[in-house]
mmCIF file of all heavy atoms in Angstrom:
data_model
loop_
_atom_site.group_PDB
_atom_site.id
_atom_site.type_symbol
_atom_site.label_atom_id
_atom_site.label_comp_id
_atom_site.label_asym_id
_atom_site.label_seq_id
_atom_site.Cartn_x
_atom_site.Cartn_y
_atom_site.Cartn_z
ATOM 1 N N ASN A 300 99.668 169.697 229.763
ATOM 2 C CA ASN A 300 98.611 168.905 229.119
ATOM 3 C C ASN A 300 98.864 167.412 229.296
ATOM 4 O O ASN A 300 97.930 166.621 229.468
ATOM 5 C CB ASN A 300 98.529 169.249 227.626
ATOM 6 C CG ASN A 300 97.934 170.623 227.377
ATOM 7 O OD1 ASN A 300 97.303 171.205 228.257
ATOM 8 N ND2 ASN A 300 98.141 171.143 226.189
ATOM 9 N N GLU A 301 100.139 167.039 229.251
ATOM 10 C CA GLU A 301 100.484 165.616 229.379
ATOM 11 C C GLU A 301 100.154 165.100 230.780
ATOM 12 O O GLU A 301 99.632 163.983 230.930
ATOM 13 C CB GLU A 301 101.975 165.405 229.076
ATOM 14 C CG GLU A 301 102.372 165.618 227.630
ATOM 15 C CD GLU A 301 102.409 167.090 227.228
ATOM 16 O OE1 GLU A 301 102.488 167.952 228.140
ATOM 17 O OE2 GLU A 301 102.345 167.387 226.022
ATOM 18 N N GLU A 302 100.417 165.912 231.793
ATOM 19 C CA GLU A 302 100.112 165.493 233.167
ATOM 20 C C GLU A 302 98.613 165.343 233.371
ATOM 21 O O GLU A 302 98.150 164.388 234.001
ATOM 22 C CB GLU A 302 100.675 166.511 234.160
ATOM 23 C CG GLU A 302 102.189 166.505 234.271
ATOM 24 C CD GLU A 302 102.698 167.635 235.141
ATOM 25 O OE1 GLU A 302 102.243 168.778 234.976
ATOM 26 O OE2 GLU A 302 103.560 167.369 235.981
ATOM 27 N N VAL A 303 97.864 166.306 232.833
ATOM 28 C CA VAL A 303 96.410 166.228 232.953
ATOM 29 C C VAL A 303 95.883 165.027 232.182
ATOM 30 O O VAL A 303 94.962 164.332 232.635
ATOM 31 C CB VAL A 303 95.760 167.534 232.462
ATOM 32 C CG1 VAL A 303 94.247 167.417 232.493
ATOM 33 C CG2 VAL A 303 96.218 168.711 233.311
ATOM 34 N N ALA A 304 96.464 164.783 231.007
ATOM 35 C CA ALA A 304 96.038 163.637 230.200
ATOM 36 C C ALA A 304 96.206 162.334 230.963
ATOM 37 O O ALA A 304 95.322 161.460 230.944
ATOM 38 C CB ALA A 304 96.827 163.598 228.896
ATOM 39 N N GLU A 305 97.326 162.193 231.631
ATOM 40 C CA GLU A 305 97.560 160.966 232.405
ATOM 41 C C GLU A 305 96.538 160.819 233.515
ATOM 42 O O GLU A 305 96.061 159.711 233.794
ATOM 43 C CB GLU A 305 98.976 160.976 232.989
ATOM 44 C CG GLU A 305 100.063 160.705 231.966
ATOM 45 C CD GLU A 305 99.849 159.383 231.247
ATOM 46 O OE1 GLU A 305 99.567 158.365 231.925
ATOM 47 O OE2 GLU A 305 99.933 159.373 230.008
ATOM 48 N N TYR A 306 96.188 161.937 234.141
ATOM 49 C CA TYR A 306 95.192 161.862 235.217
ATOM 50 C C TYR A 306 93.829 161.464 234.659
ATOM 51 O O TYR A 306 93.127 160.626 235.237
ATOM 52 C CB TYR A 306 95.096 163.207 235.931
ATOM 53 C CG TYR A 306 94.117 163.176 237.090
ATOM 54 C CD1 TYR A 306 94.515 162.717 238.343
ATOM 55 C CD2 TYR A 306 92.795 163.575 236.920
ATOM 56 C CE1 TYR A 306 93.626 162.670 239.398
ATOM 57 C CE2 TYR A 306 91.893 163.517 237.963
ATOM 58 C CZ TYR A 306 92.314 163.066 239.201
ATOM 59 O OH TYR A 306 91.414 163.010 240.235
ATOM 60 N N VAL A 307 93.444 162.061 233.523
ATOM 61 C CA VAL A 307 92.148 161.741 232.918
ATOM 62 C C VAL A 307 92.121 160.280 232.466
ATOM 63 O O VAL A 307 91.126 159.578 232.655
ATOM 64 C CB VAL A 307 91.854 162.690 231.743
ATOM 65 C CG1 VAL A 307 90.610 162.251 230.987
ATOM 66 C CG2 VAL A 307 91.679 164.118 232.252
ATOM 67 N N LYS A 308 93.209 159.818 231.874
ATOM 68 C CA LYS A 308 93.263 158.416 231.447
ATOM 69 C C LYS A 308 93.137 157.475 232.639
ATOM 70 O O LYS A 308 92.470 156.433 232.548
ATOM 71 C CB LYS A 308 94.573 158.152 230.695
ATOM 72 C CG LYS A 308 94.630 158.781 229.315
ATOM 73 C CD LYS A 308 95.976 158.515 228.639
ATOM 74 C CE LYS A 308 96.049 159.162 227.265
ATOM 75 N NZ LYS A 308 97.353 158.937 226.602
ATOM 76 N N GLN A 309 93.778 157.846 233.715
ATOM 77 C CA GLN A 309 93.675 157.017 234.914
ATOM 78 C C GLN A 309 92.228 156.975 235.406
ATOM 79 O O GLN A 309 91.728 155.923 235.825
ATOM 80 C CB GLN A 309 94.590 157.569 236.008
ATOM 81 C CG GLN A 309 94.595 156.742 237.292
ATOM 82 C CD GLN A 309 95.519 157.321 238.344
ATOM 83 O OE1 GLN A 309 96.163 158.336 238.121
ATOM 84 N NE2 GLN A 309 95.579 156.675 239.491
ATOM 85 N N MET A 310 91.551 158.118 235.352
ATOM 86 C CA MET A 310 90.157 158.162 235.769
ATOM 87 C C MET A 310 89.284 157.306 234.856
ATOM 88 O O MET A 310 88.463 156.509 235.305
ATOM 89 C CB MET A 310 89.656 159.612 235.748
ATOM 90 C CG MET A 310 88.195 159.780 236.145
ATOM 91 S SD MET A 310 87.511 161.388 235.674
ATOM 92 C CE MET A 310 87.319 161.165 233.891
ATOM 93 N N LEU A 311 89.502 157.440 233.530
ATOM 94 C CA LEU A 311 88.683 156.709 232.573
ATOM 95 C C LEU A 311 88.967 155.206 232.603
ATOM 96 O O LEU A 311 88.138 154.414 232.133
ATOM 97 C CB LEU A 311 88.926 157.249 231.157
ATOM 98 C CG LEU A 311 88.518 158.708 230.915
ATOM 99 C CD1 LEU A 311 88.828 159.109 229.476
ATOM 100 C CD2 LEU A 311 87.042 158.918 231.218
ATOM 101 N N SER A 312 90.122 154.821 233.131
ATOM 102 C CA SER A 312 90.458 153.404 233.177
ATOM 103 C C SER A 312 89.510 152.624 234.076
ATOM 104 O O SER A 312 89.439 151.390 234.007
ATOM 105 C CB SER A 312 91.904 153.214 233.656
ATOM 106 O OG SER A 312 92.049 153.637 235.000
ATOM 107 N N ASP A 313 88.755 153.321 234.919
ATOM 108 C CA ASP A 313 87.768 152.651 235.765
ATOM 109 C C ASP A 313 86.535 152.232 234.971
ATOM 110 O O ASP A 313 85.682 151.520 235.494
ATOM 111 C CB ASP A 313 87.338 153.574 236.911
ATOM 112 C CG ASP A 313 88.461 153.800 237.909
ATOM 113 O OD1 ASP A 313 89.344 152.920 238.007
ATOM 114 O OD2 ASP A 313 88.460 154.847 238.587
ATOM 115 N N GLY A 314 86.456 152.668 233.713
ATOM 116 C CA GLY A 314 85.352 152.252 232.856
ATOM 117 C C GLY A 314 84.364 153.366 232.596
ATOM 118 O O GLY A 314 83.990 154.111 233.500
ATOM 119 N N VAL A 315 83.971 153.484 231.321
ATOM 120 C CA VAL A 315 83.019 154.506 230.897
ATOM 121 C C VAL A 315 81.684 153.841 230.574
ATOM 122 O O VAL A 315 81.643 152.807 229.902
ATOM 123 C CB VAL A 315 83.537 155.275 229.664
ATOM 124 C CG1 VAL A 315 82.510 156.295 229.192
ATOM 125 C CG2 VAL A 315 84.857 155.966 229.999
ATOM 126 N N THR A 316 80.610 154.422 231.063
ATOM 127 C CA THR A 316 79.262 153.953 230.747
ATOM 128 C C THR A 316 78.468 155.114 230.157
ATOM 129 O O THR A 316 78.935 156.253 230.150
ATOM 130 C CB THR A 316 78.553 153.414 231.994
ATOM 131 O OG1 THR A 316 78.486 154.457 232.986
ATOM 132 C CG2 THR A 316 79.314 152.222 232.581
ATOM 133 N N TYR A 317 77.268 154.808 229.654
ATOM 134 C CA TYR A 317 76.443 155.872 229.091
ATOM 135 C C TYR A 317 74.988 155.651 229.467
ATOM 136 O O TYR A 317 74.557 154.539 229.789
ATOM 137 C CB TYR A 317 76.593 155.942 227.569
ATOM 138 C CG TYR A 317 76.093 154.722 226.822
ATOM 139 C CD1 TYR A 317 74.760 154.624 226.417
ATOM 140 C CD2 TYR A 317 76.951 153.673 226.520
ATOM 141 C CE1 TYR A 317 74.302 153.511 225.732
ATOM 142 C CE2 TYR A 317 76.509 152.557 225.838
ATOM 143 C CZ TYR A 317 75.185 152.476 225.443
ATOM 144 O OH TYR A 317 74.716 151.370 224.774
ATOM 145 N N VAL A 318 74.222 156.747 229.416
ATOM 146 C CA VAL A 318 72.801 156.696 229.712
ATOM 147 C C VAL A 318 72.092 157.725 228.841
ATOM 148 O O VAL A 318 72.630 158.806 228.581
ATOM 149 C CB VAL A 318 72.546 156.973 231.217
ATOM 150 C CG1 VAL A 318 73.025 158.361 231.608
ATOM 151 C CG2 VAL A 318 71.080 156.805 231.563
ATOM 152 N N ARG A 319 70.914 157.361 228.345
ATOM 153 C CA ARG A 319 70.149 158.261 227.472
ATOM 154 C C ARG A 319 69.786 159.527 228.242
ATOM 155 O O ARG A 319 69.318 159.475 229.374
ATOM 156 C CB ARG A 319 68.884 157.551 226.988
ATOM 157 C CG ARG A 319 67.989 158.383 226.070
ATOM 158 C CD ARG A 319 68.531 158.485 224.669
ATOM 159 N NE ARG A 319 67.605 159.174 223.790
ATOM 160 C CZ ARG A 319 66.710 158.569 223.001
ATOM 161 N NH1 ARG A 319 66.663 157.241 222.981
ATOM 162 N NH2 ARG A 319 65.902 159.242 222.233
ATOM 163 N N SER A 320 70.030 160.677 227.619
ATOM 164 C CA SER A 320 69.777 161.934 228.311
ATOM 165 C C SER A 320 68.751 162.817 227.610
ATOM 166 O O SER A 320 68.418 163.882 228.122
ATOM 167 C CB SER A 320 71.087 162.716 228.475
ATOM 168 O OG SER A 320 71.670 163.013 227.221
ATOM 169 N N GLY A 321 68.262 162.392 226.449
ATOM 170 C CA GLY A 321 67.226 163.191 225.795
ATOM 171 C C GLY A 321 67.392 163.225 224.296
ATOM 172 O O GLY A 321 68.239 162.553 223.709
ATOM 173 N N SER A 322 66.531 164.028 223.659
ATOM 174 C CA SER A 322 66.576 164.179 222.209
ATOM 175 C C SER A 322 66.169 165.592 221.851
ATOM 176 O O SER A 322 65.644 166.341 222.677
ATOM 177 C CB SER A 322 65.634 163.173 221.534
ATOM 178 O OG SER A 322 64.293 163.381 221.959
ATOM 179 N N SER A 323 66.436 165.972 220.599
ATOM 180 C CA SER A 323 66.086 167.307 220.124
ATOM 181 C C SER A 323 65.756 167.243 218.639
ATOM 182 O O SER A 323 65.932 166.203 217.987
ATOM 183 C CB SER A 323 67.239 168.284 220.384
ATOM 184 O OG SER A 323 68.418 167.841 219.733
ATOM 185 N N ASP A 324 65.315 168.382 218.128
ATOM 186 C CA ASP A 324 64.940 168.467 216.700
ATOM 187 C C ASP A 324 63.978 167.350 216.322
ATOM 188 O O ASP A 324 64.180 166.603 215.360
ATOM 189 C CB ASP A 324 66.185 168.418 215.819
ATOM 190 C CG ASP A 324 67.069 169.621 215.995
ATOM 191 O OD1 ASP A 324 66.550 170.660 216.454
ATOM 192 O OD2 ASP A 324 68.269 169.534 215.708
ATOM 193 N N SER A 325 62.905 167.252 217.129
ATOM 194 C CA SER A 325 61.841 166.264 216.877
ATOM 195 C C SER A 325 62.377 164.841 216.837
ATOM 196 O O SER A 325 61.892 163.994 216.076
ATOM 197 C CB SER A 325 61.112 166.592 215.569
ATOM 198 O OG SER A 325 60.534 167.880 215.621
ATOM 199 N N GLY A 326 63.362 164.584 217.622
ATOM 200 C CA GLY A 326 63.882 163.239 217.725
ATOM 201 C C GLY A 326 64.946 162.891 216.718
ATOM 202 O O GLY A 326 65.449 161.762 216.727
#
Side-chain angles (χ1 to χ4, degrees):
N300 288 343
E301 291 74 19
E302 289 173 314
V303 176
E305 286 303 314
Y306 182 84
V307 172
K308 288 178 181 179
Q309 182 180 0
M310 179 196 74
L311 296 179
S312 66
D313 291 334
V315 177
T316 59
Y317 65 88
V318 62
R319 180 76 175 265
S320 60
S322 60
S323 59
D324 294 338
S325 301

